Amino acid sequence: AQSVTQLGSHVSVSEGALVLLRCNYSSSVPPYLFWYVQYPNQGLQLLLKYTSAATLVKGINGFEAEFKKSETSFHLTKPSAHMSDAAEYFCAVSGNTGTASKLTFGTGTRLQVTL
Amino acid sequence: DADVTQTPRNRITKTGKRIMLECSQTKGHDRMYWYRQDPGLGLRLIYYSFDVKDINKGEISDGYSVSRQAQAKFSLSLESAIPNQTALYFCATSDSRQGTYEQYFGPGTRLTVT
């Protein structure tokens, strides 16, 4: 069974500062990993995904994430925060066999960007 | 046009009423899912369907039922709504041919049970 832990339910950064949102996973098989973003009153939008190719994954809006198997982590980063990045971010994990398309989500991290 | 649509977008209902939430998709995906979102709990899977004849319970299926009327349509029913079913409900789809399992979400239905 898979699980995801997102450290920090709320993160606040200044505009222009580094964004770091943490995600650790547990999986009995090599995982596929995802970051989704949810803007207010909207559904979830895929930011990026790791599917066992390159360990550094680039996504939309300048975000990227690095898969570190030794640390069971998939942290999301962006070098310079913008006001429009304020949203809730969810990390999700899927096994890659059988009923693998079931995703397990973390509890989310709300990102606040201040001037 | 949105690829995954949900109706209604907002609904207020009373305890004991039967409610149906509908989801339609034009993505041609074979797999569909229903989740609920509660503050601080993330998204939890209610039911999922890998094709029209394959429906499975998720982690929190009690009090809910589903119907997969066609590949493009997947409905969620609350037979007798209760206040703790007040939540944001999302439908999602995925394509088994992609092999990478990402899901695509609808805009959500905000349900309030009074």
Side-chain angles (χ1 to χ4, degrees):
Chain A
Q2 294 84 238
S3 66
V4 172
T5 301
Q6 290 185 241
L7 296 176
S9 59
H10 288 83
V11 171
S12 182
V13 300
S14 300
E15 190 174 37
L18 172 71
V19 176
L20 171 60
L21 304 183
R22 299 178 187 274
C23 173
N24 289 89
Y25 71 92
S26 172
S27 177
S28 57
V29 296
Y32 289 175
L33 292 156
F34 308 87
W35 276 100
Y36 284 86
V37 60
Q38 183 182 28
Y39 298 104
N41 300 314
Q42 294 186 26
L44 277 71
Q45 178 183 2
L46 182 67
L47 264 182
L48 49 79
K49 62 184 179 184
Y50 167 76
T51 57
S52 75
T55 57
L56 182 62
V57 180
K58 295 186 183 299
I60 62 173
N61 302 336
F63 284 93
E64 62 182 36
E66 186 172 9
F67 172 71
K68 292 186 177 181
K69 183 178 179 180
S70 61
E71 299 177 8
T72 61
S73 69
F74 190 58
H75 302 331
L76 182 71
T77 60
K78 182 174 180 178
S80 177
H82 191 274
M83 296 295 288
S84 61
D85 295 327
E88 189 155 23
Y89 293 79
F90 292 93
C91 182
V93 64
S94 170
N96 61 9
T97 59
T99 58
S101 68
K102 288 169 52 183
L103 298 184
T104 299
F105 286 85
T107 53
T109 297
R110 186 168 297 279
L111 177 65
Q112 181 182 21
V113 183
T114 60
L115 289 172
Chain B
D1 289 339
D3 294 324
V4 184
T5 58
Q6 294 184 233
T7 55
R9 293 292 313 277
N10 289 280
R11 182 72 184 268
I12 300 173
T13 191
K14 294 185 183 298
T15 299
K17 293 292 188 182
R18 184 178 188 275
I19 293 296
M20 179 180 287
L21 309 182
E22 299 187 347
C23 176
S24 294
Q25 52 114 347
T26 58
K27 300 182 77 69
H29 289 174
D30 53 339
R31 298 181 172 186
M32 298 186 74
Y33 311 80
W34 275 105
Y35 293 90
R36 66 176 280 175
Q37 183 182 16
D38 299 277
L41 297 179
L43 277 76
R44 292 180 292 166
L45 183 63
I46 305 172
Y47 270 95
Y48 61 102
S49 171
F50 283 175
D51 66 42
V52 174
K53 296 182 179 180
D54 180 14
I55 293 178
N56 305 278
K57 293 182 177 180
E59 58 181 306
I60 55 163
S61 59
D62 287 350
Y64 301 95
S65 62
V66 292
S67 173
R68 185 86 183 262
Q69 301 95 321
Q71 186 182 48
K73 296 184 182 296
F74 193 35
S75 299
L76 176 72
S77 294
L78 287 67
E79 297 301 325
S80 179
I82 56 177
N84 77 0
Q85 292 177 314
T86 292
L88 189 54
Y89 290 84
F90 286 104
C91 174
T93 72
S94 70
D95 185 350
S96 62
R97 296 167 298 180
Q98 286 186 339
T100 52
Y101 309 118
E102 63 261 41
Q103 295 182 12
Y104 298 86
F105 285 79
T109 294
R110 186 170 297 279
L111 177 66
T112 303
V113 183
T114 61

